[in-house]
Each structure stands twice: as C-alpha cells, then as structure tokens.
Amino acid sequence: MNIEIISASAGSGKTYRLAELLEAEVSKEGRVWPDAILATTFTKKAAAELQERVRTKLLAAGLTVEAQQLFASRIGTVNSVCGQLLSDFAFELGISPNQKVIEEEAVSAVISRAIDRVIDPKTQRELKRLEGVFVETDTRQVIEQIIAKARANGLQGKDLLISGQRSAAGFKELFGEAAADGKQLDTNLADGLSIFLREVDPEVDCTKITKKAVGIVQRLKGRLIHQGVGQSFRLLPGV
C-alpha cells in the first residue's frame, strides 16, 4: 500500500484537488468503483461539498451512471464513516448493529452524567473545593480533556490508571518537599506574582496567551490579598 501524506492549510484547494483526483480515477474504466470510494472530512459541510464536486465533474464528463453510483460511496465525516463501518460489520465484531455517534454538542452532557454516576458526592465536593484553589480550573472540563486524550492514544481503563499514577509521581517530584512555613510560601508566591506583573507588559506582548496569563495572575493576586497575604506586594514598588 502506497500512502502519501500531504499537509495543506485552509483555502489551499484540498477539496478541489481531491475532486479532480477522484474524477480522474473513476474515469479510468475499472480503476476505481464510485461506490467503493471512502473519503473522510472533519465537517459535514466539507463532506457534502466534496461529494457534490465529484458528481459535478463526473456528470460533465458524461459519466452519469458513475455519478449516480457515487451516492453509495462512503464520503462523510470521520465519525459518520466509522459509524457506518461499525454498523455494517457489527455481527463480525460481536457488537450491536445499533450504533449511534454522539453529537459533539452533546458530549459534555453525557460526560457530566457519567461523572455523577461514578464519583460520589463527597469526592465531587472536594473537587469543587479544589476548583476554588486553582484559578481557571473546571474539573469536568479537565476530565473531558483527559477522556479525549485517552481515546486518542488508545488507553483503556487499566492503562489510564497507570498513566495517572505515573503523572502524579512526576508532579510530586517537581513540587519537592512540602514547605514547613505555609505563610512564607504564600508570601513567596505573592512576590513572584508581583514580579511577573512588573516584568510583563501587555502593551508590548499583546498576544491572547499573554493577556489571559496576566488576567489569571491578577485574579490570583487579588485572592491572596483578600486572604491577608498582601503585605509582600508593598515590598515591590511599581506593581
């Protein structure tokens, strides 16, 4: 099998080139059967556009039968094409043929229901408390991201657990020993935030990432002041 990977940016003519290629291959008698074509895209709009362009080219070439057969091809989003394959070969795979792909906008709701079923209320309250400790943290969003990355990397439950334990151990090494003086640690953090705000000029570095980081630091600084860790800020003039 000869696989060629071509990377191209948006608007560079990928769909146009694919339509040309498919029409050329179908036009060669016996080379490619229209109903045997499999092509995936990221959006439904792109899939419909690709199929329509190929049909238009086939009709323009007088290949009306082939243009009609194209309706039986597998041209669609990754989810829809894979869903069709699962349904068609469900019996051989030993799974139910009633496969349904969860729409992207419904994923968060499904994950929220799953979280409510597997995480007890006490743990959920603790996670909610930690959200207040770590700025800009949404526990359910983090869990959703972990699930997405686990699926992308083919990690099953046991593998994911091992990966989590390894990550936790790595974080503990980075943190080192717990500070004996918590107040001094807060003061050091406050000083560090002040230095950051003094050194970073959003007018010079006006990227979105920098703007977001400055906003997070300012909110965290305000929270520390509210908790009574404000005296250290006065040690750093100009902030």
Side-chain angles (χ1 to χ4, degrees), residues 199-211:
E199 297 294 331
V200 176
D201 187 352
E203 297 297 326
V204 176
D205 185 350
C206 53
T207 60
K208 290 182 178 179
I209 294 177
T210 299
K211 183 178 179 181

Side-chain angles (χ1 to χ4, degrees), residues 128-144:
K128 200 67 181 177
R129 186 189 69 80
L130 290 174
E131 287 183 8
V133 175
F134 297 99
V135 183
E136 301 290 317
T137 299
D138 184 327
T139 302
R140 295 187 178 230
Q141 189 176 65
V142 171
I143 293 175
E144 187 174 332

Side-chain angles (χ1 to χ4, degrees), residues 9-174:
S9 59
S12 58
K14 297 187 294 297
T15 303
Y16 180 83
R17 178 67 185 114
L18 282 173
E20 276 193 333
L21 179 63
L22 290 174
E23 186 272 330
E25 293 299 314
V26 171
S27 296
K28 298 174 184 178
E29 186 175 352
R31 180 71 177 268
V32 172
W33 297 342
D35 55 349
I37 292 174
L38 187 153
T40 64
T41 62
F42 285 108
T43 65
K44 295 178 182 178
K45 180 181 178 181
E49 182 182 359
L50 176 59
Q51 187 176 65
E52 186 57 32
R53 285 191 182 185
V54 177
R55 285 188 68 254
T56 300
K57 286 183 173 294
L58 290 175
L59 289 172
L63 302 173
T64 55
V65 174
E66 288 80 357
Q68 185 67 24
Q69 291 175 335
L70 192 66
F71 284 115
S73 65
R74 298 185 190 277
I75 299 178
T77 62
V78 175
N79 283 346
S80 65
V81 170
C82 291
Q84 290 174 17
L85 291 173
L86 280 175
S87 296
D88 291 348
F89 296 96
F91 181 78
E92 290 87 343
L93 295 172
I95 61 176
S96 170
N98 297 322
Q99 300 295 319
K100 181 180 179 181
V101 177
I102 301 175
E103 296 295 333
E104 188 174 345
E105 55 271 16
V107 171
S108 294
V110 171
I111 290 177
S112 291
R113 288 198 295 271
I115 290 173
D116 291 337
R117 289 180 59 185
V118 299
I119 301 181
D120 61 86
K122 182 180 178 181
T123 303
Q124 290 199 41
R125 287 194 296 271
E126 178 63 15
L127 290 173
K128 200 67 181 177
R129 186 189 69 80
L130 290 174
E131 287 183 8
V133 175
F134 297 99
V135 183
E136 301 290 317
T137 299
D138 184 327
T139 302
R140 295 187 178 230
Q141 189 176 65
V142 171
I143 293 175
E144 187 174 332
Q145 291 171 350
I146 292 174
I147 292 173
K149 291 185 182 299
R151 292 179 62 191
N153 288 279
L155 291 177
Q156 300 299 318
K158 183 179 179 181
D159 297 327
L160 184 58
L161 178 61
I162 294 173
S163 177
Q165 292 170 340
R166 186 168 60 245
S167 295
F171 271 117
K172 286 182 179 179
E173 290 179 6
L174 293 174

Side-chain angles (χ1 to χ4, degrees), residues 168-226:
F171 271 117
K172 286 182 179 179
E173 290 179 6
L174 293 174
F175 286 132
E177 295 295 328
D181 188 344
K183 290 184 178 180
Q184 184 58 48
L185 188 63
D186 286 342
T187 299
N188 293 342
L189 174 60
D191 287 341
L193 296 176
S194 292
I195 293 172
F196 174 86
L197 293 174
R198 184 181 63 190
E199 297 294 331
V200 176
D201 187 352
E203 297 297 326
V204 176
D205 185 350
C206 53
T207 60
K208 290 182 178 179
I209 294 177
T210 299
K211 183 178 179 181
K212 181 179 179 180
V214 169
I216 292 173
V217 170
Q218 287 174 335
R219 287 192 289 276
L220 183 53
K221 174 181 174 179
R223 181 176 299 173
L224 288 172
I225 293 175
H226 179 72

